[in-house]
């Protein structure tokens, strides 16, 4: 029997050489597991001293709580203010309505984020993208409650959904930087406690958030292939995915010597902030400043923003149904570059 910390689903899965979801099914929906696999999972569980999920996980099919917990790294107002979070939550809500479940928004932006998880009375967790090695991730995995995460990190014990951010990063960087002399990246946060900072050619692996890391890696890869020295590319890292912060940051850069003439922004929210700063200063877009976004939001469409389109609504819906055991896993979401009026090509 394993001593020390409580044995997790992930440990049983590794020992039995199956996925964490198979272990979850073995205890919650055994009829979905082949007899030989079920026997192997139960044998591993007995050997390790795993007695099954906690009461919240066992109650999933019975609807004991009737609630899915959505874990956010930002204050609760973020769920209502952020364009991407809005679409993801709309997809979650669609699935919850069908399954007659409620949604509990859980902010881990306070001083004791793990307690938010351990005290939550929910049937499943959906986690908004988190930094690598964040204690919230371990708390979710160790809870034994079925869980999934949008955008990473990709860890055993959690279902996962994310588009190919690196590939899309290359494509959208080309659209933004074509013909530019002073290109820059307007970046999402690097880590939970990251302050706003202006960098030159940072190593993408310095970013703790997988979404930021992969999008930055795509930008760097395109620059190197195009012969643009990466160490000359400015990267303005924001503390939050905030329209107001992006507008303030870009306004200061446009007023300074050698203003950027191309911006690859990692979200529509901050791209629209950059666009606002340009409009207020009379900087012609795209003639003097090319701008791209990311997500494909309705405000981006109305503004004529060139952007990477992905369906966060479908990702929220698909991840919810998978966590509930209604579907098997979540396929990699499709994406596409939509060219509009804010880029030169």
């Amino acid at each position: 029997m394993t001593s020390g910390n409580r044995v997790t689903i992930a440990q049983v899965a590794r020992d039995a050489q199956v996925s964490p979801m198979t272990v979850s099914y073995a205890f919650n929906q055994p009829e979905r597991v082949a007899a030989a696999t079920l026997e192997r999972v139960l044998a591993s569980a007995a050997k390790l001293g795993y007695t099954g999920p906690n009461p919240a996980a066992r109650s999933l099919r019975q609807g004991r709580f009737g609630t899915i917990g959505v874990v956010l790294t930002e204050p609760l107002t973020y769920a209502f203010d952020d364009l991407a979070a809005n679409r993801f939550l709309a997809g979650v809500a669609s699935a919850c309505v069908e399954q007659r479940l409620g949604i509990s928004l859980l902010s881990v932006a306070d001083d004791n984020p793990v307690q938010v998880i351990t005290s939550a009375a929910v049937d499943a967790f959906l986690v908004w993208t988190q930094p690598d090695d964040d204690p919230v991730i371990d708390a979710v995995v160790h809870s034994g409650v079925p869980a999934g995460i949008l955008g990473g990190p990709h860890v055993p014990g959690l279902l996962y959904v994310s588009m190919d951010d690196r590939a899309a990063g290359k494509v959208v960087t080309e659209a933004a930087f074509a013909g530019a002399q002073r290109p820059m990246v307007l970046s999402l946060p690097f880590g939970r406690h990251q302050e706003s900072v202006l960098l030159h050619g940072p190593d993408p692996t310095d970013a703790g958030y997988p979404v930021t890391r992969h999008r930055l890696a795509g930008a760097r890869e395109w620059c190197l292939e195009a012969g643009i020295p990466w160490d000359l590319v400015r990267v303005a890292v924001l503390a939050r995915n905030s329209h107001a912060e992006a507008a303030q940051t870009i306004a200061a850069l446009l007023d300074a010597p050698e203003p950027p003439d191309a911006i690859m922004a990692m979200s529509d929210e901050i791209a629209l902030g950059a666009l606002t700063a340009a409009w207020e200063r009379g900087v012609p877009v795209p003639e003097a400043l090319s701008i791209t976004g990311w997500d494909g939001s309705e405000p981006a469409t109305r503004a004529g923003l060139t952007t990477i389109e992905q369906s966060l609504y479908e990702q929220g819906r698909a991840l919810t149904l998978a966590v509930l055991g209604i579907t098997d896993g979540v396929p990699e979401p499709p994406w596409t570059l939509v060219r509009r009026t804010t880029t030169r090509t």
Side-chain angles (χ1 to χ4, degrees):
M1 179 181 294
T2 299
S3 60
N5 294 333
R6 182 176 181 270
V7 179
T8 67
I9 282 179
Q11 290 172 300
V12 176
R14 284 194 294 270
D15 188 80
Q17 297 184 329
V18 297
S19 71
M21 285 307 299
T22 299
V23 177
S24 179
Y25 290 146
F27 282 89
N28 293 295
Q29 302 178 55
E31 68 278 4
R32 298 190 60 170
V33 183
T37 302
L38 179 61
E39 183 178 352
R40 190 165 74 252
V41 169
L42 295 179
S44 292
K47 179 178 70 175
L48 296 174
Y50 180 75
T51 57
N54 73 6
R58 286 197 300 268
S59 70
L60 181 59
R61 293 179 66 205
Q62 302 167 354
R64 178 181 174 186
F65 298 117
T67 302
I68 284 183
V70 179
V71 182
L72 303 170
T73 57
E74 302 283 351
L76 292 179
T77 52
Y78 180 85
F80 304 96
D81 296 336
D82 183 75
L83 301 174
N86 282 178
R87 296 310 300 153
F88 176 74
L89 287 169
V92 174
S94 170
C96 286
V97 167
E98 291 179 4
Q99 303 303 316
R100 299 184 178 182
L101 295 170
I103 299 175
S104 178
L105 297 179
L106 306 170
S107 173
V108 292
D110 59 20
D111 293 332
N112 196 356
V114 172
Q115 186 177 1
V116 174
I117 302 302
T118 57
S119 63
V122 299
D123 296 317
F125 286 113
L126 298 178
V127 185
W128 189 255
T129 181
Q130 295 275 334
D132 297 331
D133 302 323
D134 193 286
V136 168
I137 299 296
D138 284 339
V140 169
V141 173
H142 283 84
S143 74
V145 175
I149 188 166
L150 172 76
H154 196 174
V155 297
L158 295 184
L159 282 167
Y160 169 82
V161 61
S162 180
M163 61 173 286
D164 189 339
D165 286 295
R166 183 167 186 156
K170 286 187 64 176
V171 170
V172 76
T173 298
E174 180 179 19
F177 288 6
Q181 300 299 312
R182 299 178 301 280
M184 73 170 297
V185 175
L186 189 56
S187 175
L188 291 170
F190 268 34
R192 180 185 297 279
H193 304 297
Q194 177 73 49
E195 300 292 334
S196 299
V197 62
L198 183 62
L199 305 172
H200 287 78
D203 186 339
T205 61
D206 290 342
Y209 281 98
V211 167
T212 303
R213 181 168 62 250
H214 296 153
R215 294 180 186 183
L216 193 62
R220 179 180 181 273
E221 189 172 338
W222 183 84
C223 287
L224 294 179
E225 291 178 0
I228 297 174
W230 178 244
D231 59 357
L232 299 181
V233 176
R234 289 177 290 180
V235 177
V237 181
L238 302 181
R240 296 186 60 196
N241 182 33
S242 162
H243 180 286
E245 185 182 347
Q248 182 179 16
T249 298
I250 297 304
L253 290 168
L254 290 175
D255 291 341
E258 299 190 356
D261 62 355
I263 296 173
M264 188 280 269
M266 291 190 187
S267 78
D268 286 346
E269 189 85 25
I270 58 178
L272 292 171
L275 197 57
T276 296
W279 285 340
E280 289 177 347
R281 276 152 184 74
V283 176
V285 176
E287 294 81 7
L289 180 62
S290 173
I291 302 175
T292 60
W294 199 303
D295 288 329
S297 64
E298 291 180 10
T301 301
R302 293 196 298 269
L305 184 69
T306 295
T307 187
I308 292 290
E309 273 197 359
Q310 62 169 327
S311 179
L312 286 164
Y313 177 94
E314 291 301 331
Q315 291 175 48
R317 177 178 170 80
L319 188 59
T320 303
L321 294 175
V323 165
L324 293 173
I326 295 168
T327 59
D328 292 324
V330 187
E332 183 178 293
W335 58 271
T336 186
L337 174 70
V338 179
R339 296 181 184 272
R340 298 194 180 101
T341 61
T342 62
T343 46
R344 301 180 182 99
T345 59

